[in-house]
């Protein structure tokens, strides 16, 4: 099968959507071919590893907006097209690709390239991989937002609901990484086809360490410029750690992740380490005895959870962080949804090596059974065949 992939930016392993697609494509590459057509802003480029999964990569300049009056810019920001770039150059490139090759399927990563597609009658079937549902992200953010932030969040929620309407009218199937996100979309568009295909993890790369961890170190990991991770880092340091330090003053926390914003860098102290970008995240995670994921915002499946499970780390997390994963409280994770219950769960784990071992082994076993990239690639492949055969 020949699959044309559309994206608003080059797909790179350092981004969540790139990590997901490239690892899926690696599994499918022996049986299917992929071509990428995308936009690229200055400084954006596909990395060498990602480029290897494509027969050809065409990156065109991200379209710039023409000069507009203030009123026109305001009206544009209230339209879903504000988030959906459109380019005559990319449309022509897409037409040339479709005319030159027998393309069986178009895969739109993120669902924001629909405005560039040819008419339905002259287009291969379209599958959108939305990955996460922004509506859930904005609804969760509204619960914690200051009053002045709420109008922006309501506007974004409304705009993405209109984008979903466009996806439902054009795509043969819309895919999410989390069943919670897929169900959210299905409730609003009951006639649309939706699928839930989780992310995977390279369980050979993210493996348990033979060295004993530091019993006084806990860790949280993620892109520290990403708002949900920033919120979780502040929540951990301001609400959870002070509760733990009452009985465990020697406890240290490691905030691991690239591009920490200034407010995250300011959390560094003699008991909190902010690593910034690291060469190998595993080296830092292996030093921790517990992985803590106190996320309250965001949507979709958290790669950080899959990686921690694969590495044999016992996990304490919120139910929001475990959304869409087969989390079993007390079996492969300890769940808490407020600072008291999260601190109690961490303290309980620190006091029980037996419980740590139970959660660690159960989490690793679950990854091997249900969350490898090979398993998820096979699910995508079945969906692709079903969509093309029902054309």
């Amino acid at each position: 099968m020949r699959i044309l992939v559309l994206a608003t930016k080059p797909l790179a392993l350092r981004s969540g959507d790139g990590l997901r697609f490239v690892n899926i494509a690696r599994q499918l590459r022996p049986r299917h071919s992929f071509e990428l057509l995308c936009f690229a802003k200055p400084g954006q480029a596909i990395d060498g590893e990602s480029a290897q999964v494509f027969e050809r990569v065409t990156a065109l300049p991200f379209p710039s907006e023409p000069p507009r009056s203030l009123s026109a810019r305001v009206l544009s920001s209230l339209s879903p097209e504000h988030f959906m770039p459109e380019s005559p150059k990319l449309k022509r490139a897409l037409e040339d690709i479709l005319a030159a090759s027998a393309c069986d399927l178009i895969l739109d990563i993120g669902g924001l390239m629909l405005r560039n597609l040819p008419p339905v009658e002259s287009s291969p079937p379209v599958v959108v991989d939305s990955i996460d549902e922004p509506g859930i992200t904005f609804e969760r953010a509204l619960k914690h937002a200051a009053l002045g932030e709420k109008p922006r969040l309501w506007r974004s929620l409304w705009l993405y609901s209109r984008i979903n309407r466009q996806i439902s009218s054009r795509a043969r199937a819309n895919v999410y990484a989390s069943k919670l996100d897929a169900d959210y979309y299905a409730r609003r568009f009951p006639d649309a086809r939706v699928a839930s295909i989780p992310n995977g993890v390279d369980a050979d790369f993210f493996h348990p360490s033979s060295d004993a961890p530091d019993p006084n170190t806990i860790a949280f990991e993620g892109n520290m410029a990403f708002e949900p991770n920033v919120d979780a880092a502040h929540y951990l340091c301001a609400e959870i750690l002070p509760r733990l330090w009452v009985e465990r003053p020697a406890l240290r926390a490691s905030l691991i992740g690239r591009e920490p914003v200034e407010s995250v860098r300011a959390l560094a102290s003699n008991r909190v380490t902010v690593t910034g970008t690291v060469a190998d995240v595993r080296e830092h995670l292996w030093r921790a005895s517990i992985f803590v994921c106190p996320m309250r915002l965001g949507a979709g499946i958290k790669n950080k959870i899959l990686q921690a499970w694969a590495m044999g780390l016992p996990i304490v997390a919120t139910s929001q962080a475990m959304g869409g994963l087969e989390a079993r409280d007390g079996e492969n994770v300890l769940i808490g949804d407020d600072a008291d219950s999260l601190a109690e769960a961490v303290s309980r784990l620190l006091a029980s090596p037996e419980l740590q071992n139970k959660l660690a082994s159960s989490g690793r076993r679950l990854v091997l059974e249900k969350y490898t990239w090979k398993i998820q690639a096979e699910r995508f492949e079945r969906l692709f065949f079903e969509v093309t055969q029902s054309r």
Side-chain angles (χ1 to χ4, degrees), residues 13-224:
L13 285 167
R14 65 179 297 181
S15 65
D17 50 5
L19 177 74
R20 174 175 166 91
F21 173 79
V22 171
N23 279 287
I24 293 294
R26 281 171 172 168
Q27 300 293 323
L28 298 179
R29 187 72 172 84
R31 301 183 297 279
H32 308 281
S33 65
F34 299 92
E35 180 172 348
L36 176 63
L37 177 59
C38 66
F39 291 122
K41 294 180 179 179
Q44 288 183 331
I46 191 168
D47 61 83
E49 285 186 81
S50 302
Q52 291 177 6
V53 304
F54 297 105
E55 285 193 353
R56 184 170 66 170
V57 175
T58 303
L60 298 174
F62 196 92
S64 57
E65 291 192 10
R68 295 178 179 177
S69 65
L70 176 60
S71 60
R73 291 198 300 271
V74 171
L75 289 174
S76 172
S77 69
L78 297 175
S79 166
E81 282 73 25
H82 180 69
F83 295 93
M84 304 176 76
E86 183 178 18
S87 164
K89 288 184 179 179
L90 189 133
K91 287 182 178 181
R92 287 194 296 272
L94 178 55
E95 291 173 357
D96 291 342
I97 291 171
L98 295 179
S101 63
C103 179
D104 299 292
L105 182 78
I106 293 176
L107 177 63
D108 184 346
I109 305 296
L112 299 180
M113 298 290 280
L114 298 180
R115 296 176 67 200
N116 298 283
L117 294 178
V120 174
E121 60 272 12
S122 57
S123 168
V126 177
V127 171
V128 167
D129 188 13
S130 288
I131 308 174
D132 299 336
E133 175 46 62
I136 295 178
T137 299
F138 296 128
E139 288 184 2
R140 287 176 176 172
L142 280 164
K143 296 178 181 178
H144 304 281
L147 187 61
E149 279 291 296
K150 291 193 174 184
R152 176 184 65 84
L153 294 170
W154 278 115
R155 178 180 70 90
S156 297
L157 181 62
W158 176 73
L159 286 173
Y160 272 98
S161 71
R162 295 187 64 191
I163 290 174
N164 276 347
R165 185 169 297 281
Q166 293 191 30
I167 292 173
S168 71
S169 66
R170 182 62 196 265
R172 293 291 183 88
N174 190 10
V175 185
Y176 289 96
S178 164
K179 188 176 184 302
L180 294 176
D181 296 41
D183 289 346
Y184 180 98
Y185 177 85
R187 286 193 298 271
R188 286 152 180 80
F189 305 97
D191 295 330
R193 179 170 185 171
V194 61
S196 171
I197 303 179
N199 281 358
V201 64
D202 185 342
D204 293 327
F205 183 80
F206 292 101
H207 61 83
S209 173
S210 58
D211 297 329
D214 182 348
N216 285 317
T217 296
I218 64 175
F220 171 63
E221 181 264 330
N223 178 349
M224 292 300 170

Side-chain angles (χ1 to χ4, degrees), residues 188-302:
R188 286 152 180 80
F189 305 97
D191 295 330
R193 179 170 185 171
V194 61
S196 171
I197 303 179
N199 281 358
V201 64
D202 185 342
D204 293 327
F205 183 80
F206 292 101
H207 61 83
S209 173
S210 58
D211 297 329
D214 182 348
N216 285 317
T217 296
I218 64 175
F220 171 63
E221 181 264 330
N223 178 349
M224 292 300 170
F226 182 48
E227 183 179 355
N229 290 334
V230 172
D231 176 80
H234 281 278
Y235 186 40
L236 174 63
C237 293
E239 302 291 338
I240 300 168
L241 285 174
R243 287 168 163 80
L244 290 165
W245 283 330
V246 173
E247 295 185 358
R248 296 179 177 273
L251 185 68
R252 296 183 296 275
S254 183
L255 304 179
I256 309 161
R258 59 187 174 88
E259 301 174 358
V261 297
E262 183 177 351
S263 68
V264 172
R265 294 197 300 270
L267 296 174
S269 70
N270 61 338
R271 292 191 286 191
V272 176
T273 299
V274 179
T275 69
T277 302
V278 297
D280 190 340
V281 70
R282 298 173 303 171
E283 298 294 335
H284 296 265
L285 289 172
W286 278 327
R287 295 172 194 154
S289 57
I290 299 172
F291 186 82
V292 183
C293 191
M295 297 184 72
R296 302 181 292 181
L297 309 179
I301 276 180
K302 306 299 181 288

